[in-house]
Amino acid sequence: MKRICAKSGKEFEVSESDLEYYKKISPQIGNEIYEVPPPSLCLEEREMRRMAWRNERTLYKRTCDATGKEIISEYPPDSPFQVVDVRYYYERNWQVPECEFDFERPFFEQFRALLLTTPRPARLTDITSEENNSIYQNCSAMNKNCYLMFASGGCEGCSYAQTVEFCKDTLDGLVVLHSELCYECIDCLRCYQLIFSQECTACTEGAFLYDCRNSHHCFGCIGLRNQKYCLFNQQLSEQEYKTQVVELYQKLKTTSGVRELQTKMQQMLAHTPHRHAHIEDSEDCTGDFIYNSKNVTDSFMVYDSQDCRYCIKLYNGKDCIDVSDFGRPGELMRECITTGQNAYKTFFCNNCWPNCTDLLYCESCKVCRNCFGCTGLKNAEYCILNKQYSKEEYEALVPKIIEHMKKTPLNPPLSGGKNTCEWGEFFPAEHSPFAYNETWSFEYYPLSKAEVQRRGWRWRDEEIEIPKVTKIIPANRLPDSIDDIPDDILNWAIECEETGKPYKIQTSELEYYRKLGIPIPHFHPNVRHTHRMQKRNGRTLRNVSCDNCGSAIQTTRSQQNAKVLCEACYAKQI
């Protein structure tokens, strides 16, 4: 069936198989199934609204609303929410506020009021990381001696990274797993001492590699498989390689040399055919970066999952639709974000984990089941707006609330001329605790301040904090080589070459650059992250033809600068 997106006005398709999924993934209250209508928004708008509820990277200094001490938080100092220190939050058995449902008011209005009065941890992290010198992180856990880590876990000695897991001494990484001593790497797995590389697996002691596997002592190569001692895709003897690579590693010490090598790699990649998608050990899947999965449709970064649609960063998912982060495992979930660890039958939920089942419209709940419109609960059952009910009372009241939501127009409306009811819609982006440009959504769907405000969403202007240092130096005035960087740089602030925003170099960071023989970065950590994000493909799938055999393929890649090949043709050319 064809539908018109109630936000963008764009036409989108809801297939018959989608409709079957929606019927299958519908909540059950008592013995009754309450079908959720098909989506009123197109895929992109659904993702934007959902991801506007997750802040991964924006941190502030503020005071704890309970103790008054200074803390690091994902909520700014002027946030209207009740924000408390992480340890203080998890070590107390909170008596959360509760409300009785008012059938004269919209559900989302009542839920927003409950959110504002319920204590929230300053960051999504664990006490263990705090004890192990990893305070500056968010959406992360089990880290030791880490700094500015986001959506990452199980790491030691890592910094400036996002979606980095079980890594050691890895800096400036984006989606790097089980690796060590890697710098400026993207989508890399089981690598060691890899520098400025992307989409590599089981590679060691290399630099400027792209889509290489089990390759060792290689430099400036693309598409290698089980190779050693290759230089710009030319096979050399061990002695020839070691002799010729010395000059290149001397270039790596300088900013000018790194930029020269980056330009050369970009030119090589522009003339190199690319595979249409990264889908491995999987069956009947569409999207990108899908591994060991079956029947996964239009999804990205999905692992070990089955029968899922329109999902992002999902692990061990089954029968999930419109889920963004994280599963491990999750089953029968619809329109959820940051929900998993044995999640089962969770609908329109945010940040509900672990062991949550049969939840509707819940947020920040742990070990809960059969709850509706609750936030901040632990070990609870049969609650509505945090108020305790008996099983019989719960099963009698929730259907009445659903009927009320079906009759209540969404406020604010999704568009100026057309509206929809509350039932079947995720929490409005207008009610998110975060400004749009603080959120995960802004990373993948960047909008201008004017467009964000036109949509009725919040925008937060960045306040640049000037650090207390002996001097501030523009990045382009730094010594070119790491060999010439003085120890005193630890007392300076550097002005980002792109934004002018100041940033500092940490002691362990300087030691790391010297150890690997790489120059001081000239861009603020947030800018470096943006540059890495720009190197990855977007999430818009296009129907194209293989540039070699002409077979139909789906890809997120552009065919403007390089050929895009189907899996079979790509395998032949590498």
Side-chain angles (χ1 to χ4, degrees):
M1 60 184 293
K2 299 287 186 181
R3 303 209 78 185
I4 301 298
C5 176
K7 190 72 178 180
S8 67
K10 170 184 170 182
E11 184 179 81
F12 67 101
E13 177 79 22
V14 179
S15 68
E16 289 298 321
S17 59
D18 283 344
L19 293 174
E20 291 176 7
Y21 255 65
Y22 293 130
K23 288 181 181 179
K24 181 178 181 180
I25 308 180
S26 288
Q28 180 175 337
I29 313 297
N31 296 321
E32 295 293 325
I33 301 293
Y34 291 84
E35 287 192 16
V36 179
S40 62
L41 299 181
C42 64
L43 174 60
E44 292 80 7
E45 292 289 346
R46 298 198 303 272
E47 288 182 356
M48 290 171 70
R49 177 177 61 183
R50 192 167 61 245
M51 294 194 299
W53 280 76
R54 179 177 169 94
N55 171 8
E56 282 191 356
R57 299 184 51 84
T58 310
L59 297 177
Y60 301 93
K61 289 181 180 179
R62 58 164 293 152
T63 57
C64 169
D65 285 329
T67 66
K69 80 171 188 177
E70 187 176 86
I71 57 175
I72 305 300
S73 174
E74 63 177 339
Y75 303 94
D78 59 356
S79 172
F81 292 84
Q82 300 298 306
V83 180
V84 298
D85 175 65
V86 171
R87 178 182 288 277
Y88 190 89
Y89 179 85
Y90 285 114
E91 289 184 346
R92 278 159 179 75
N93 187 19
W94 292 93
Q95 292 297 314
V96 296
E98 61 183 47
C99 301
E100 187 166 336
F101 195 86
D102 184 352
F103 285 92
E104 299 299 318
R105 299 169 59 200
F107 163 71
F108 284 134
E109 178 186 304
Q110 296 177 66
F111 187 72
R112 167 74 174 180
L114 188 62
L115 290 180
L116 288 169
T117 56
T118 304
R120 311 175 72 83
R123 287 167 289 116
L124 294 183
T125 186
D126 60 330
I127 296 176
T128 301
S129 293
E130 302 250 312
E131 293 172 341
N132 287 327
N133 190 33
S134 299
I135 297 174
Y136 290 86
Q137 65 176 32
N138 197 29
C139 304
S140 300
M142 302 182 297
N143 292 321
K144 182 178 181 180
N145 296 326
C146 291
Y147 179 70
L148 290 182
M149 298 283 284
F150 307 102
S152 300
C155 296
E156 182 177 352
C158 299
S159 299
Y160 311 117
Q162 183 159 316
T163 316
V164 170
E165 298 185 0
F166 305 105
C167 290
K168 186 176 180 181
D169 298 329
T170 290
L171 271 65
D172 281 300
L174 177 62
V175 192
V176 182
L177 311 176
H178 299 280
S179 297
E180 184 175 351
L181 271 177
C182 292
Y183 178 73
E184 278 289 357
C185 288
I186 304 168
D187 294 306
C188 291
L189 171 65
R190 300 193 308 274
C191 292
Y192 175 79
Q193 200 167 327
L194 202 61
I195 303 171
F196 295 108
S197 296
Q198 187 170 354
E199 297 180 20
C200 292
T201 299
C203 295
T204 63
E205 297 188 55
F208 292 98
L209 304 185
Y210 184 91
D211 188 27
C212 295
R213 298 189 184 185
N214 195 32
S215 298
H216 313 290
H217 303 283
C218 296
F219 196 111
C221 295
I222 300 172
L224 296 185
R225 300 292 185 268
N226 307 309
Q227 298 294 315
K228 289 184 178 180
Y229 307 117
C230 292
L231 187 62
F232 298 111
N233 280 58
Q234 180 183 359
Q235 182 66 63
L236 302 176
S237 69
E238 179 179 353
Q239 188 57 48
E240 288 174 330
Y241 176 84
K242 289 181 176 180
T243 300
Q244 295 186 36
V245 85
V246 168
E247 181 181 350
L248 293 171
Y249 274 102
Q250 285 299 314
K251 280 189 175 184
L252 262 183
K253 289 186 173 184
T254 66
T255 300
S256 59
V258 166
R259 292 181 176 179
E260 178 187 329
L261 290 166
Q262 286 174 328
T263 299
K264 183 169 183 175
M265 282 299 294
Q266 289 169 358
Q267 292 170 345
M268 290 174 62
L269 285 170
H271 297 91
T272 300
H274 295 276
R275 59 174 167 174
H276 72 291
H278 306 81
I279 301 176
E280 300 179 12
D281 301 318
S282 299
E283 181 181 344
D284 296 327
C285 296
T286 60
D288 208 356
F289 295 102
I290 301 174
Y291 303 95
N292 193 33
S293 297
K294 182 178 180 180
N295 296 330
V296 172
T297 304
D298 292 3
S299 298
F300 301 86
M301 294 179 66
V302 174
Y303 308 84
D304 307 309
S305 297
Q306 179 179 337
D307 299 323
C308 297
R309 300 182 179 214
Y310 317 127
C311 293
I312 300 166
K313 199 179 176 185
L314 178 66
Y315 306 83
N316 303 106
K318 184 179 180 182
D319 290 319
C320 297
I321 192 164
D322 282 323
V323 174
S324 302
D325 191 87
F326 58 102
R328 283 182 169 167
E331 184 175 353
L332 290 170
M333 299 195 294
R334 177 175 176 183
E335 277 266 31
C336 292
I337 184 168
T338 318
T339 295
Q341 284 189 0
N342 297 313
Y344 180 71
K345 290 187 177 180
T346 54
F347 307 92
F348 311 104
C349 290
N350 171 46
N351 191 32
C352 290
W353 57 274
N355 303 325
C356 289
T357 64
D358 292 285
L359 301 189
L360 269 163
Y361 288 103
C362 290
E363 195 264 357
S364 297
C365 290
K366 296 183 179 296
V367 197
C368 292
R369 58 184 302 163
N370 297 302
C371 290
F372 190 106
C374 294
T375 180
L377 292 186
K378 301 176 185 177
N379 302 299
E381 186 173 13
Y382 299 120
C383 295
I384 301 170
L385 291 179
N386 288 4
K387 184 178 178 180
Q388 184 67 62
Y389 293 86
S390 68
K391 178 177 183 292
E392 293 74 20
E393 290 171 330
Y394 179 87
E395 292 179 351
L397 183 54
V398 169
K400 295 177 183 179
I401 295 174
I402 292 174
E403 291 304 314
H404 174 73
M405 293 178 70
K406 288 180 179 180
K407 298 173 184 177
T408 305
L410 195 63
N411 185 30
L414 291 174
S415 64
K418 180 181 179 181
N419 205 357
T420 184
C421 68
E422 290 185 319
W423 177 243
E425 300 295 336
F426 191 75
F427 304 119
E430 291 85 350
H431 293 178
S432 168
F434 311 110
Y436 184 79
N437 58 320
E438 294 174 321
T439 68
W440 198 21
S441 190
F442 185 71
E443 286 198 65
Y444 287 94
Y445 298 100
L447 302 175
S448 67
K449 178 179 179 180
E451 174 61 17
V452 169
Q453 292 177 334
R454 186 192 68 78
R455 287 169 167 255
W457 300 345
R458 289 187 299 116
W459 177 277
R460 187 174 185 86
D461 290 321
E462 184 177 17
E463 297 179 6
I464 297 179
E465 181 181 351
I466 305 300
K468 296 179 181 179
V469 292
T470 58
K471 76 173 181 178
I472 298 177
I473 182 172
N476 59 13
R477 289 181 54 196
L478 288 171
D480 193 37
S481 174
I482 186 64
D483 290 340
D484 299 323
I485 295 291
D487 292 344
D488 199 39
I489 195 174
L490 299 174
N491 301 314
W492 304 348
I494 303 169
E495 287 182 341
C496 173
E497 202 169 289
E498 186 171 309
T499 65
K501 185 177 179 179
Y503 60 98
K504 290 188 66 178
I505 301 297
Q506 308 299 312
T507 302
S508 59
E509 184 183 354
L510 179 59
E511 293 171 354
Y512 183 88
Y513 297 141
R514 286 171 171 171
K515 179 179 179 178
L516 288 189
I518 50 179
I520 297 294
H522 280 215
F523 301 97
H524 186 277
N526 287 345
V527 174
R528 302 197 306 260
H529 172 71
T530 299
H531 291 170
R532 287 190 291 275
M533 288 288 292
Q534 291 169 346
K535 291 180 181 179
R536 301 184 91 217
N537 295 333
R539 289 178 175 164
T540 301
L541 283 170
R542 298 178 299 110
N543 294 312
V544 300
S545 299
C546 170
D547 282 316
N548 188 39
C549 71
S551 62
I553 53 176
Q554 282 190 318
T555 186
T556 59
R557 293 189 181 276
S558 169
Q559 292 177 294
Q560 293 179 349
N561 299 319
K563 292 182 177 180
V564 177
L565 306 182
C566 67
E567 194 66 32
C569 291
Y570 183 78
K572 292 177 182 178
Q573 68 95 38
I574 60 172

